[in-house]
């Protein structure tokens, strides 16, 4: 989206402010503030909201915000007296008041956009064919009316707000989707009217004691049910049930929509794939953790970028490829692959700095250089952008665990596993849980989690090294030797140096424990 307000253009894709076509020098945080005010120009934005959205809720003084506002006005040639662009409503907040002309339709409609014209939605979906769109319909209330009727509207509205955090998904505004309340909706017709590729609908049944909620995700093009789930709970636990449903739906859609898109893409001749299809088939390859599939993923992500250079997630996918090449030691040029992983992540950030997956790949690139502090910062940003982003939560858990914050890591990895029990990185979550037990000297539990991790589908060879070391630490020499043999058969070149290169453990005695165990096993 480009917003024009004479003589300026605010280019959201490039994250750039231009005056008469020339880029304006502006501090990133000031530009972020300006962009937020422009995007929400139809209403007053409070100071509290700005602190939450731009400073992730961190404690910031009023003077810090005041200085950014002053700098924004200076760039625009505005003043606190004239206020031609940014108006201060004392004691209330700020509003962008200049006339703004969008130069092309926005690829994302968020819940805050409820007051905008619904007619814009279908065109927005057409403009970004690689980004799927979803509409969440009001849920149907079954049974007799009662005190919990509001769940049928309240829960889907909360789901819309959560889905809007997913930068890769276009979310139809509540004001449009909530107009369809038929008990037997024509899903294909609604999809056409709203420009929605997917519809999420549901039913609510509440009795005196029991609450039952069913949800269903449908592909409006084919009428196919992509995913469905049934949630039950006690009425008195309604708030906990609401939270669980929001979390599980968000995590499920993160997996089910890309999987469905990739399956459909496989029916298309490769030469005709669009950027979205190429990207998601690439994801299927990358999570197999071997050189052949990694190379296939690289080719598909490169194709996606060629088709659409502004596709941020395709750049992030390519970063993931280079991360995996270095992490699994598929090359002797670890430094070169690390640099490429970071460069591709940076390219994605320049396009969309608010995409959780893009921030995730930047954070993981710092694992490769053992810079856990900077990795933690980027991963924390990814999860603040989308608190239910399971892979981001897992990566943050892993970073905390090897940095010594094992309790925090355990809490986070438990959340990640609850959010995404079918995640392609689930084996890594299990392995992380095992290491938190080693850190506490709970070797019997550590062995159980490490074994589950190493035996899980998709687990790469470094997970087998964790299992071998954990068995050795628990005094199970035979089992440790078996896993060590498994490692050597799969990757004879791996040793302690490669293990700690991938897992730069800081905490003592955790690092020494693993080093000693691996040495005893001949690594």
């Amino acid at each position: 989206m480009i917003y024009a307000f004479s003589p300026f253009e605010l280019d959201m894709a490039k994250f750039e402010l231009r005056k008469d076509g020339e880029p304006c020098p502006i501090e990133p945080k000031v530009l972020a503030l300006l962009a937020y005010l422009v995007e929400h120009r139809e209403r007053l934005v409070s100071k509290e909201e700005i602190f939450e959205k731009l400073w992730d809720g961190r404690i910031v003084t009023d003077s810090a915000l005041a200085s950014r506002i002053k700098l924004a006005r200076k760039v625009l040639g505005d003043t606190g007296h004239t206020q031609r662009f940014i108006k201060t409503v004392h004691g209330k907040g700020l509003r962008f008041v200049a006339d703004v002309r969008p130069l092309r339709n926005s690829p994302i409609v968020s819940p805050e956009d409820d007051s905008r014209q619904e007619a814009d939605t279908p065109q927005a979906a057409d403009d970004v064919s690689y980004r799927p769109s979803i509409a969440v319909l009001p849920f149907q209330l079954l049974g007799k009316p009662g005190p919990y009727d509001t769940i049928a509207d309240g829960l889907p509205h909360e789901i819309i707000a959560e889905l809007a955090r997913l930068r890769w998904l276009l979310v139809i505004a509540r004001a449009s989707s909530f107009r369809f309340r038929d008990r037997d909706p024509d899903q294909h017709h609604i999809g056409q009217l709203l420009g929605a590729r997917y519809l999420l609908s549901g039913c609510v049944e509440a009795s005196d004691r029991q609450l039952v909620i069913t949800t269903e995700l449908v592909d409006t093009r084919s009428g196919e049910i992509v995913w469905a789930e049934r949630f039950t709970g006690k009425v008195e636990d309604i708030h906990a049930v609401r939270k669980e449903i929001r979390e599980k739906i968000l995590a499920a859609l993160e997996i089910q929509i890309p999987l469905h898109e990739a399956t459909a893409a496989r029916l298309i001749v490769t030469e005709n794939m669009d950027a979205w299809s190429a990207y998601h088939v690439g994801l299927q390859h990358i999570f197999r953790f071997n050189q052949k599939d990694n190379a296939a993923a690289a080719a598909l992500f490169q194709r996606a970028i060629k088709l659409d250079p502004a596709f941020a997630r395709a750049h992030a996918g390519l970063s993931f490829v280079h991360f995996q090449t270095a992490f699994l030691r598929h090359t002797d040029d670890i430094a070169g692959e690390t640099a490429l992983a970071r460069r591709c992540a940076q390219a994605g950030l320049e396009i969309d700095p608010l995409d959780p997956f893009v921030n995730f790949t930047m954070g993981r690139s710092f694992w490769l250089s053992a810079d856990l502090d900077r990795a933690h910062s980027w991963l924390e940003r990814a999860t603040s952008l989308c608190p239910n982003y399971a892979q981001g939560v897992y990566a943050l858990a892993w970073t905390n665990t090897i940095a010594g914050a094992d309790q925090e890591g355990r809490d986070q990895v438990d959340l990640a596993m609850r959010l995404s029990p079918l995640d392609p990185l689930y084996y890594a979550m299990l392995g992380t849980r095992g290491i938190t037990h080693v850190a506490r000297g709970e070797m019997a539990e550590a062995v159980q989690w490490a074994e589950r991790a190493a035996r899980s589908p998709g687990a790469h060879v470094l997970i087998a090294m964790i299992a071998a070391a954990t068995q050795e630490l628990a005094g199970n020499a035979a089992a440790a030797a078996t896993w060590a043999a498994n490692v050597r058969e799969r990757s004879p070149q791996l040793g302690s140096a490669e293990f700690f290169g991938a897992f730069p453990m800081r905490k003592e005695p955790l690092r020494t424990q693993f080093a000693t165990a691996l040495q005893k096993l001949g690594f």
Side-chain angles (χ1 to χ4, degrees):
M1 171 66 81
I2 297 177
Y3 298 105
F5 44 98
S6 184
F8 297 96
E9 289 182 352
L10 178 60
D11 191 327
M12 300 302 291
K14 294 183 178 180
F15 199 57
E16 179 180 77
L17 179 69
R18 297 186 291 268
K19 181 179 181 181
D20 297 326
E22 293 297 321
C24 299
I26 185 171
E27 179 187 327
K29 186 66 76 174
V30 176
L31 182 55
L33 170 64
L34 177 61
Y36 194 81
L37 293 175
V38 170
E39 287 192 313
H40 298 84
R41 61 194 178 277
E42 75 283 356
R43 61 181 177 86
L44 186 73
V45 178
S46 69
K47 291 193 299 182
E48 291 74 19
E49 180 180 347
I50 293 172
F51 289 144
E52 179 186 351
K53 299 297 184 182
L54 271 64
W55 276 274
D56 300 325
R58 294 192 297 272
I59 298 175
V60 182
T61 63
D62 288 350
S63 62
L65 175 59
S67 68
R68 264 66 175 198
I69 297 170
K70 184 177 180 180
L71 288 171
R73 284 176 170 150
K74 183 177 181 181
V75 170
L76 297 174
D78 201 359
T79 68
H81 177 68
T82 59
Q83 298 191 5
R84 292 183 300 113
F85 293 93
I86 301 173
K87 181 178 179 60
T88 299
V89 180
H90 292 291
K92 300 292 185 180
L94 303 166
R95 186 173 180 184
F96 194 85
V97 293
D99 291 333
V100 176
R101 181 169 56 94
L103 297 186
R104 63 172 180 267
N105 285 317
S106 173
I108 292 179
V109 179
S110 67
E112 290 83 357
D113 294 327
D114 284 357
S115 62
R116 298 183 189 179
Q117 294 183 357
E118 290 80 20
D120 288 343
T121 304
Q123 285 82 0
D126 292 339
D127 284 350
V128 284
S129 60
Y130 62 83
R131 180 180 284 120
S133 51
I134 186 171
V136 181
L137 303 183
F139 287 5
Q140 296 294 326
L141 187 67
L142 304 181
K144 297 179 180 179
Y148 300 101
D149 293 2
T150 53
I151 297 174
D153 275 10
L155 185 56
H157 179 68
E158 290 180 345
I159 292 169
I160 290 172
E162 292 293 324
L163 289 175
R165 296 175 182 269
L166 303 177
R167 300 281 292 178
W168 56 271
L169 188 63
L170 186 151
V171 184
I172 305 302
R174 179 186 186 278
S176 295
S177 62
F178 269 41
R179 296 189 179 193
F180 299 93
R181 294 181 175 273
D182 296 341
R183 285 195 173 273
D184 296 306
D186 184 335
Q187 295 159 339
H188 179 69
H189 181 60
I190 293 174
Q192 287 185 317
L193 288 175
L194 296 179
R197 194 177 304 179
Y198 295 94
L199 285 184
L200 182 71
S201 59
C203 296
V204 176
E205 186 172 8
S207 65
D208 292 339
R209 300 285 303 277
Q210 191 76 5
L211 180 67
V212 179
I213 298 174
T214 58
T215 57
E216 182 178 274
L217 180 71
V218 173
D219 185 333
T220 61
R221 298 163 295 185
S222 63
E224 178 184 356
I225 296 176
V226 177
W227 170 82
E229 187 59 271
R230 184 174 185 267
F231 304 92
T232 62
K234 296 180 180 179
V235 168
E236 58 264 31
D237 297 330
I238 178 61
H239 296 300
V241 173
R242 283 172 45 227
K243 182 175 184 292
E244 177 188 8
I245 291 172
R246 291 199 311 268
E247 291 175 348
K248 287 189 174 180
I249 287 178
L250 195 71
L253 298 193
E254 273 271 35
I255 294 176
Q256 298 299 335
I257 288 180
L259 182 62
H260 184 70
E261 292 287 330
T263 301
R266 289 195 176 281
L267 303 177
I268 304 172
V269 178
T270 303
E271 286 72 21
N272 295 328
M273 281 185 181
D274 63 10
W276 175 252
S277 299
Y279 168 73
H280 281 286
V281 176
L283 285 185
Q284 285 195 337
H285 283 284
I286 202 170
F287 287 116
R288 292 171 184 163
F289 296 99
N290 61 68
Q291 285 182 279
K292 181 179 178 181
D293 280 290
N294 204 36
L300 286 159
F301 292 143
Q302 287 167 347
R303 175 172 176 77
I305 292 169
K306 183 177 180 180
L307 288 168
D308 184 357
F311 190 178
R313 285 204 160 197
H315 290 279
L318 200 54
S319 173
F320 202 135
V321 166
H322 294 297
F323 167 84
Q324 189 176 137
T325 300
F327 185 78
L328 296 180
R329 273 32 189 185
H330 288 161
T331 179
D332 293 329
D333 186 13
I334 304 299
E337 290 297 315
T338 299
L340 286 171
R342 195 161 301 153
R343 188 183 308 163
C344 292
Q346 183 61 46
L349 284 168
E350 289 173 0
I351 296 166
D352 189 351
L354 299 181
D355 187 298
F357 180 55
V358 176
N359 284 269
F360 165 84
T361 55
M362 177 60 89
R364 296 239 295 181
S365 76
F366 285 101
W367 281 7
L368 301 172
S369 52
D371 191 342
L372 298 184
D373 291 332
R374 295 180 74 181
H376 186 279
S377 295
W378 283 104
L379 295 171
E380 196 170 49
R381 176 174 167 79
T383 54
S384 69
L385 290 166
C386 182
N388 295 316
Y389 178 32
Q391 290 185 7
V393 174
Y394 143 69
L396 192 57
W398 176 248
T399 303
N400 281 324
T401 298
I402 61 177
D406 52 270
Q407 180 57 56
E408 191 174 359
R410 179 177 297 188
D411 293 341
Q412 289 163 337
V413 77
D414 285 350
L415 173 60
M417 288 189 288
R418 181 161 60 89
L419 288 172
S420 189
L422 299 178
D423 203 279
L425 290 177
Y426 196 78
Y427 69 85
M429 299 175 190
L430 295 170
T432 301
R433 186 60 147 84
I435 292 176
T436 68
H437 286 287
V438 174
R440 295 184 171 198
E442 301 163 350
M443 297 307 172
E445 293 88 346
V447 163
Q448 292 176 2
W449 288 97
E451 284 274 333
R452 284 182 62 191
R455 296 185 187 280
S456 294
H460 54 70
V461 67
L462 290 170
I463 302 298
M465 290 188 79
I466 292 176
T470 304
Q471 291 283 13
E472 179 65 31
L473 290 170
N476 304 327
T482 299
W483 278 114
N486 176 278
V487 172
R488 292 190 177 93
E489 180 182 352
R490 294 164 63 184
S491 191
Q493 81 280 6
L494 287 183
S496 293
E498 287 73 25
F499 180 84
F500 287 112
F503 305 143
M505 296 179 179
R506 282 183 182 174
K507 186 177 181 181
E508 294 293 355
L510 186 66
R511 182 183 179 95
T512 298
Q513 285 176 303
F514 270 89
T516 302
L518 292 172
Q519 185 178 24
K520 287 182 179 179
L521 293 170
F523 291 112

PDB file of all heavy atoms in Angstrom, residues 10-17 28-29 31-32 35 349-351 353:
ATOM      1  N   LEU A  10       3.771   7.691   1.416  1.00  0.00           N
ATOM      2  CA  LEU A  10       4.222   6.750   2.436  1.00  0.00           C
ATOM      3  C   LEU A  10       4.094   5.354   1.842  1.00  0.00           C
ATOM      4  O   LEU A  10       2.987   4.841   1.665  1.00  0.00           O
ATOM      5  CB  LEU A  10       3.373   6.886   3.705  1.00  0.00           C
ATOM      6  CG  LEU A  10       3.681   5.932   4.855  1.00  0.00           C
ATOM      7  CD1 LEU A  10       5.119   6.103   5.340  1.00  0.00           C
ATOM      8  CD2 LEU A  10       2.707   6.140   6.003  1.00  0.00           C
ATOM      9  N   ASP A  11       5.222   4.747   1.518  1.00  0.00           N
ATOM     10  CA  ASP A  11       5.267   3.438   0.862  1.00  0.00           C
ATOM     11  C   ASP A  11       5.437   2.367   1.935  1.00  0.00           C
ATOM     12  O   ASP A  11       6.515   2.201   2.503  1.00  0.00           O
ATOM     13  CB  ASP A  11       6.426   3.398  -0.138  1.00  0.00           C
ATOM     14  CG  ASP A  11       6.372   2.175  -1.042  1.00  0.00           C
ATOM     15  OD1 ASP A  11       5.909   1.124  -0.575  1.00  0.00           O
ATOM     16  OD2 ASP A  11       6.804   2.277  -2.199  1.00  0.00           O
ATOM     17  N   MET A  12       4.359   1.619   2.219  1.00  0.00           N
ATOM     18  CA  MET A  12       4.404   0.631   3.291  1.00  0.00           C
ATOM     19  C   MET A  12       5.248  -0.583   2.911  1.00  0.00           C
ATOM     20  O   MET A  12       5.876  -1.210   3.763  1.00  0.00           O
ATOM     21  CB  MET A  12       2.982   0.191   3.652  1.00  0.00           C
ATOM     22  CG  MET A  12       2.090   1.335   4.129  1.00  0.00           C
ATOM     23  SD  MET A  12       2.771   2.181   5.583  1.00  0.00           S
ATOM     24  CE  MET A  12       2.557   0.890   6.805  1.00  0.00           C
ATOM     25  N   ALA A  13       5.242  -0.950   1.644  1.00  0.00           N
ATOM     26  CA  ALA A  13       6.027  -2.112   1.219  1.00  0.00           C
ATOM     27  C   ALA A  13       7.517  -1.859   1.392  1.00  0.00           C
ATOM     28  O   ALA A  13       8.265  -2.717   1.846  1.00  0.00           O
ATOM     29  CB  ALA A  13       5.711  -2.467  -0.230  1.00  0.00           C
ATOM     30  N   LYS A  14       7.958  -0.654   1.008  1.00  0.00           N
ATOM     31  CA  LYS A  14       9.373  -0.308   1.142  1.00  0.00           C
ATOM     32  C   LYS A  14       9.699   0.324   2.485  1.00  0.00           C
ATOM     33  O   LYS A  14      10.870   0.583   2.778  1.00  0.00           O
ATOM     34  CB  LYS A  14       9.786   0.644   0.022  1.00  0.00           C
ATOM     35  CG  LYS A  14       9.735   0.024  -1.364  1.00  0.00           C
ATOM     36  CD  LYS A  14      10.229   1.007  -2.426  1.00  0.00           C
ATOM     37  CE  LYS A  14      10.234   0.371  -3.797  1.00  0.00           C
ATOM     38  NZ  LYS A  14      10.724   1.320  -4.845  1.00  0.00           N
ATOM     39  N   PHE A  15       8.650   0.585   3.305  1.00  0.00           N
ATOM     40  CA  PHE A  15       8.813   1.255   4.598  1.00  0.00           C
ATOM     41  C   PHE A  15       9.621   2.531   4.389  1.00  0.00           C
ATOM     42  O   PHE A  15      10.687   2.739   4.952  1.00  0.00           O
ATOM     43  CB  PHE A  15       9.498   0.337   5.611  1.00  0.00           C
ATOM     44  CG  PHE A  15       9.290   0.766   7.044  1.00  0.00           C
ATOM     45  CD1 PHE A  15       8.021   0.905   7.558  1.00  0.00           C
ATOM     46  CD2 PHE A  15      10.362   1.026   7.875  1.00  0.00           C
ATOM     47  CE1 PHE A  15       7.816   1.299   8.868  1.00  0.00           C
ATOM     48  CE2 PHE A  15      10.175   1.424   9.192  1.00  0.00           C
ATOM     49  CZ  PHE A  15       8.894   1.562   9.681  1.00  0.00           C
ATOM     50  N   GLU A  16       9.054   3.419   3.537  1.00  0.00           N
ATOM     51  CA  GLU A  16       9.786   4.604   3.087  1.00  0.00           C
ATOM     52  C   GLU A  16       8.823   5.772   2.955  1.00  0.00           C
ATOM     53  O   GLU A  16       7.690   5.619   2.495  1.00  0.00           O
ATOM     54  CB  GLU A  16      10.438   4.293   1.742  1.00  0.00           C
ATOM     55  CG  GLU A  16      11.226   5.422   1.122  1.00  0.00           C
ATOM     56  CD  GLU A  16      11.837   5.013  -0.203  1.00  0.00           C
ATOM     57  OE1 GLU A  16      11.109   4.965  -1.214  1.00  0.00           O
ATOM     58  OE2 GLU A  16      13.050   4.717  -0.217  1.00  0.00           O
ATOM     59  N   LEU A  17       9.284   6.963   3.356  1.00  0.00           N
ATOM     60  CA  LEU A  17       8.535   8.206   3.160  1.00  0.00           C
ATOM     61  C   LEU A  17       9.240   9.007   2.074  1.00  0.00           C
ATOM     62  O   LEU A  17      10.463   9.214   2.135  1.00  0.00           O
ATOM     63  CB  LEU A  17       8.474   9.012   4.462  1.00  0.00           C
ATOM     64  CG  LEU A  17       7.737  10.357   4.368  1.00  0.00           C
ATOM     65  CD1 LEU A  17       6.244  10.132   4.154  1.00  0.00           C
ATOM     66  CD2 LEU A  17       7.991  11.199   5.629  1.00  0.00           C
ATOM     67  N   PRO A  28      13.591   5.139  11.984  1.00  0.00           N
ATOM     68  CA  PRO A  28      12.621   4.049  11.820  1.00  0.00           C
ATOM     69  C   PRO A  28      11.435   4.121  12.778  1.00  0.00           C
ATOM     70  O   PRO A  28      10.294   3.907  12.379  1.00  0.00           O
ATOM     71  CB  PRO A  28      13.460   2.791  12.062  1.00  0.00           C
ATOM     72  CG  PRO A  28      14.848   3.188  11.671  1.00  0.00           C
ATOM     73  CD  PRO A  28      14.975   4.623  12.055  1.00  0.00           C
ATOM     74  N   LYS A  29      11.697   4.432  14.049  1.00  0.00           N
ATOM     75  CA  LYS A  29      10.597   4.477  15.015  1.00  0.00           C
ATOM     76  C   LYS A  29       9.641   5.640  14.708  1.00  0.00           C
ATOM     77  O   LYS A  29       8.434   5.532  14.908  1.00  0.00           O
ATOM     78  CB  LYS A  29      11.147   4.608  16.439  1.00  0.00           C
ATOM     79  CG  LYS A  29      10.090   4.515  17.523  1.00  0.00           C
ATOM     80  CD  LYS A  29       9.454   3.127  17.592  1.00  0.00           C
ATOM     81  CE  LYS A  29      10.364   2.127  18.255  1.00  0.00           C
ATOM     82  NZ  LYS A  29       9.722   0.812  18.450  1.00  0.00           N
ATOM     83  N   LEU A  31       9.125   6.799  11.653  1.00  0.00           N
ATOM     84  CA  LEU A  31       8.385   6.362  10.476  1.00  0.00           C
ATOM     85  C   LEU A  31       7.297   5.368  10.865  1.00  0.00           C
ATOM     86  O   LEU A  31       6.180   5.398  10.331  1.00  0.00           O
ATOM     87  CB  LEU A  31       9.342   5.742   9.456  1.00  0.00           C
ATOM     88  CG  LEU A  31       8.720   5.277   8.125  1.00  0.00           C
ATOM     89  CD1 LEU A  31       7.957   6.412   7.455  1.00  0.00           C
ATOM     90  CD2 LEU A  31       9.798   4.743   7.197  1.00  0.00           C
ATOM     91  N   ALA A  32       7.610   4.472  11.813  1.00  0.00           N
ATOM     92  CA  ALA A  32       6.608   3.506  12.278  1.00  0.00           C
ATOM     93  C   ALA A  32       5.424   4.218  12.933  1.00  0.00           C
ATOM     94  O   ALA A  32       4.263   3.843  12.738  1.00  0.00           O
ATOM     95  CB  ALA A  32       7.242   2.519  13.259  1.00  0.00           C
ATOM     96  N   ALA A  35       3.382   5.844  10.155  1.00  0.00           N
ATOM     97  CA  ALA A  35       2.644   4.825   9.411  1.00  0.00           C
ATOM     98  C   ALA A  35       1.423   4.350  10.198  1.00  0.00           C
ATOM     99  O   ALA A  35       0.334   4.156   9.633  1.00  0.00           O
ATOM    100  CB  ALA A  35       3.556   3.644   9.096  1.00  0.00           C
ATOM    101  N   LEU A 349      12.645  -8.398   5.926  1.00  0.00           N
ATOM    102  CA  LEU A 349      12.322  -7.344   6.889  1.00  0.00           C
ATOM    103  C   LEU A 349      12.138  -5.995   6.214  1.00  0.00           C
ATOM    104  O   LEU A 349      11.292  -5.194   6.627  1.00  0.00           O
ATOM    105  CB  LEU A 349      13.421  -7.243   7.945  1.00  0.00           C
ATOM    106  CG  LEU A 349      13.435  -8.327   9.024  1.00  0.00           C
ATOM    107  CD1 LEU A 349      14.729  -8.271   9.801  1.00  0.00           C
ATOM    108  CD2 LEU A 349      12.242  -8.155   9.960  1.00  0.00           C
ATOM    109  N   GLU A 350      12.906  -5.728   5.189  1.00  0.00           N
ATOM    110  CA  GLU A 350      12.777  -4.453   4.484  1.00  0.00           C
ATOM    111  C   GLU A 350      11.425  -4.355   3.777  1.00  0.00           C
ATOM    112  O   GLU A 350      10.902  -3.258   3.580  1.00  0.00           O
ATOM    113  CB  GLU A 350      13.920  -4.309   3.479  1.00  0.00           C
ATOM    114  CG  GLU A 350      15.279  -4.072   4.153  1.00  0.00           C
ATOM    115  CD  GLU A 350      16.431  -4.095   3.173  1.00  0.00           C
ATOM    116  OE1 GLU A 350      16.172  -4.300   1.965  1.00  0.00           O
ATOM    117  OE2 GLU A 350      17.594  -3.912   3.608  1.00  0.00           O
ATOM    118  N   ILE A 351      10.864  -5.520   3.431  1.00  0.00           N
ATOM    119  CA  ILE A 351       9.556  -5.533   2.754  1.00  0.00           C
ATOM    120  C   ILE A 351       8.429  -5.491   3.779  1.00  0.00           C
ATOM    121  O   ILE A 351       7.471  -4.728   3.643  1.00  0.00           O
ATOM    122  CB  ILE A 351       9.437  -6.794   1.873  1.00  0.00           C
ATOM    123  CG1 ILE A 351      10.488  -6.750   0.755  1.00  0.00           C
ATOM    124  CG2 ILE A 351       8.031  -6.917   1.295  1.00  0.00           C
ATOM    125  CD1 ILE A 351      10.673  -8.065   0.044  1.00  0.00           C
ATOM    126  N   PRO A 353       8.440  -5.575   7.889  1.00  0.00           N
ATOM    127  CA  PRO A 353       9.103  -5.712   9.187  1.00  0.00           C
ATOM    128  C   PRO A 353       8.200  -6.269  10.278  1.00  0.00           C
ATOM    129  O   PRO A 353       8.684  -6.598  11.356  1.00  0.00           O
ATOM    130  CB  PRO A 353       9.525  -4.279   9.525  1.00  0.00           C
ATOM    131  CG  PRO A 353       8.580  -3.411   8.769  1.00  0.00           C
ATOM    132  CD  PRO A 353       8.271  -4.153   7.505  1.00  0.00           C
TER     133      PRO A 353
END
